[in-house]
PDB file of all heavy atoms in Angstrom:
ATOM      1  N   GLY A 570      46.711  58.139 -13.418  1.00  0.00           N
ATOM      2  CA  GLY A 570      46.296  58.580 -14.741  1.00  0.00           C
ATOM      3  C   GLY A 570      45.023  57.882 -15.191  1.00  0.00           C
ATOM      4  O   GLY A 570      44.100  58.532 -15.682  1.00  0.00           O
ATOM      5  N   ASN A 571      44.988  56.577 -15.016  1.00  0.00           N
ATOM      6  CA  ASN A 571      43.821  55.783 -15.431  1.00  0.00           C
ATOM      7  C   ASN A 571      43.614  54.663 -14.413  1.00  0.00           C
ATOM      8  O   ASN A 571      44.469  53.778 -14.284  1.00  0.00           O
ATOM      9  CB  ASN A 571      44.026  55.207 -16.824  1.00  0.00           C
ATOM     10  CG  ASN A 571      42.782  54.464 -17.329  1.00  0.00           C
ATOM     11  OD1 ASN A 571      41.812  54.288 -16.608  1.00  0.00           O
ATOM     12  ND2 ASN A 571      42.826  54.062 -18.594  1.00  0.00           N
ATOM     13  N   LEU A 572      42.502  54.695 -13.728  1.00  0.00           N
ATOM     14  CA  LEU A 572      42.207  53.685 -12.698  1.00  0.00           C
ATOM     15  C   LEU A 572      42.149  52.285 -13.290  1.00  0.00           C
ATOM     16  O   LEU A 572      42.450  51.311 -12.623  1.00  0.00           O
ATOM     17  CB  LEU A 572      40.885  54.030 -12.022  1.00  0.00           C
ATOM     18  CG  LEU A 572      40.414  53.106 -10.887  1.00  0.00           C
ATOM     19  CD1 LEU A 572      41.431  53.093  -9.742  1.00  0.00           C
ATOM     20  CD2 LEU A 572      39.055  53.570 -10.363  1.00  0.00           C
ATOM     21  N   TYR A 573      41.783  52.204 -14.575  1.00  0.00           N
ATOM     22  CA  TYR A 573      41.580  50.894 -15.191  1.00  0.00           C
ATOM     23  C   TYR A 573      42.786  50.403 -15.986  1.00  0.00           C
ATOM     24  O   TYR A 573      42.666  49.436 -16.746  1.00  0.00           O
ATOM     25  CB  TYR A 573      40.318  50.931 -16.072  1.00  0.00           C
ATOM     26  CG  TYR A 573      39.062  50.999 -15.242  1.00  0.00           C
ATOM     27  CD1 TYR A 573      38.547  52.215 -14.809  1.00  0.00           C
ATOM     28  CD2 TYR A 573      38.399  49.838 -14.861  1.00  0.00           C
ATOM     29  CE1 TYR A 573      37.410  52.304 -14.033  1.00  0.00           C
ATOM     30  CE2 TYR A 573      37.251  49.904 -14.073  1.00  0.00           C
ATOM     31  CZ  TYR A 573      36.760  51.133 -13.662  1.00  0.00           C
ATOM     32  OH  TYR A 573      35.630  51.179 -12.886  1.00  0.00           O
ATOM     33  N   ASP A 574      43.934  51.055 -15.818  1.00  0.00           N
ATOM     34  CA  ASP A 574      45.166  50.509 -16.391  1.00  0.00           C
ATOM     35  C   ASP A 574      45.483  49.171 -15.702  1.00  0.00           C
ATOM     36  O   ASP A 574      45.154  49.003 -14.523  1.00  0.00           O
ATOM     37  CB  ASP A 574      46.337  51.487 -16.174  1.00  0.00           C
ATOM     38  CG  ASP A 574      46.371  52.559 -17.251  1.00  0.00           C
ATOM     39  OD1 ASP A 574      45.675  52.377 -18.280  1.00  0.00           O
ATOM     40  OD2 ASP A 574      47.073  53.566 -17.060  1.00  0.00           O
ATOM     41  N   PRO A 575      46.132  48.244 -16.406  1.00  0.00           N
ATOM     42  CA  PRO A 575      46.427  46.926 -15.801  1.00  0.00           C
ATOM     43  C   PRO A 575      47.151  46.994 -14.469  1.00  0.00           C
ATOM     44  O   PRO A 575      46.856  46.233 -13.557  1.00  0.00           O
ATOM     45  CB  PRO A 575      47.301  46.247 -16.871  1.00  0.00           C
ATOM     46  CG  PRO A 575      46.859  46.876 -18.152  1.00  0.00           C
ATOM     47  CD  PRO A 575      46.520  48.299 -17.804  1.00  0.00           C
ATOM     48  N   GLU A 576      48.083  47.975 -14.343  1.00  0.00           N
ATOM     49  CA  GLU A 576      48.835  48.046 -13.089  1.00  0.00           C
ATOM     50  C   GLU A 576      47.992  48.578 -11.928  1.00  0.00           C
ATOM     51  O   GLU A 576      48.357  48.429 -10.757  1.00  0.00           O
ATOM     52  CB  GLU A 576      50.108  48.894 -13.262  1.00  0.00           C
ATOM     53  CG  GLU A 576      49.825  50.353 -13.619  1.00  0.00           C
ATOM     54  CD  GLU A 576      49.834  50.595 -15.128  1.00  0.00           C
ATOM     55  OE1 GLU A 576      49.583  49.620 -15.878  1.00  0.00           O
ATOM     56  OE2 GLU A 576      50.097  51.741 -15.528  1.00  0.00           O
ATOM     57  N   ASN A 577      46.861  49.229 -12.249  1.00  0.00           N
ATOM     58  CA  ASN A 577      45.990  49.774 -11.190  1.00  0.00           C
ATOM     59  C   ASN A 577      44.731  48.948 -10.980  1.00  0.00           C
ATOM     60  O   ASN A 577      43.947  49.242 -10.088  1.00  0.00           O
ATOM     61  CB  ASN A 577      45.566  51.220 -11.540  1.00  0.00           C
ATOM     62  CG  ASN A 577      46.750  52.131 -11.716  1.00  0.00           C
ATOM     63  OD1 ASN A 577      47.774  51.980 -11.060  1.00  0.00           O
ATOM     64  ND2 ASN A 577      46.625  53.098 -12.629  1.00  0.00           N
ATOM     65  N   TYR A 578      44.547  47.936 -11.817  1.00  0.00           N
ATOM     66  CA  TYR A 578      43.257  47.246 -11.843  1.00  0.00           C
ATOM     67  C   TYR A 578      42.899  46.605 -10.503  1.00  0.00           C
ATOM     68  O   TYR A 578      41.726  46.523 -10.135  1.00  0.00           O
ATOM     69  CB  TYR A 578      43.269  46.176 -12.935  1.00  0.00           C
ATOM     70  CG  TYR A 578      41.892  45.702 -13.317  1.00  0.00           C
ATOM     71  CD1 TYR A 578      41.072  46.496 -14.110  1.00  0.00           C
ATOM     72  CD2 TYR A 578      41.404  44.481 -12.885  1.00  0.00           C
ATOM     73  CE1 TYR A 578      39.795  46.094 -14.456  1.00  0.00           C
ATOM     74  CE2 TYR A 578      40.132  44.061 -13.214  1.00  0.00           C
ATOM     75  CZ  TYR A 578      39.340  44.868 -14.012  1.00  0.00           C
ATOM     76  OH  TYR A 578      38.083  44.457 -14.347  1.00  0.00           O
ATOM     77  N   HIS A 579      43.918  46.184  -9.733  1.00  0.00           N
ATOM     78  CA  HIS A 579      43.639  45.519  -8.452  1.00  0.00           C
ATOM     79  C   HIS A 579      42.984  46.473  -7.457  1.00  0.00           C
ATOM     80  O   HIS A 579      42.299  46.043  -6.524  1.00  0.00           O
ATOM     81  CB  HIS A 579      44.935  44.977  -7.845  1.00  0.00           C
ATOM     82  CG  HIS A 579      45.895  46.033  -7.383  1.00  0.00           C
ATOM     83  ND1 HIS A 579      46.627  46.806  -8.249  1.00  0.00           N
ATOM     84  CD2 HIS A 579      46.207  46.478  -6.141  1.00  0.00           C
ATOM     85  CE1 HIS A 579      47.367  47.670  -7.573  1.00  0.00           C
ATOM     86  NE2 HIS A 579      47.137  47.484  -6.285  1.00  0.00           N
ATOM     87  N   LEU A 580      43.138  47.799  -7.677  1.00  0.00           N
ATOM     88  CA  LEU A 580      42.542  48.777  -6.748  1.00  0.00           C
ATOM     89  C   LEU A 580      41.032  48.826  -6.871  1.00  0.00           C
ATOM     90  O   LEU A 580      40.340  49.193  -5.925  1.00  0.00           O
ATOM     91  CB  LEU A 580      43.133  50.172  -7.022  1.00  0.00           C
ATOM     92  CG  LEU A 580      44.651  50.335  -6.823  1.00  0.00           C
ATOM     93  CD1 LEU A 580      45.078  51.736  -7.202  1.00  0.00           C
ATOM     94  CD2 LEU A 580      45.016  50.030  -5.364  1.00  0.00           C
TER      95      LEU A 580
END
Side-chain angles (χ1 to χ4, degrees):
N571 184 354
L572 181 61
Y573 288 86
D574 277 345
E576 62 267 24
N577 302 326
Y578 197 76
H579 69 286
L580 298 177

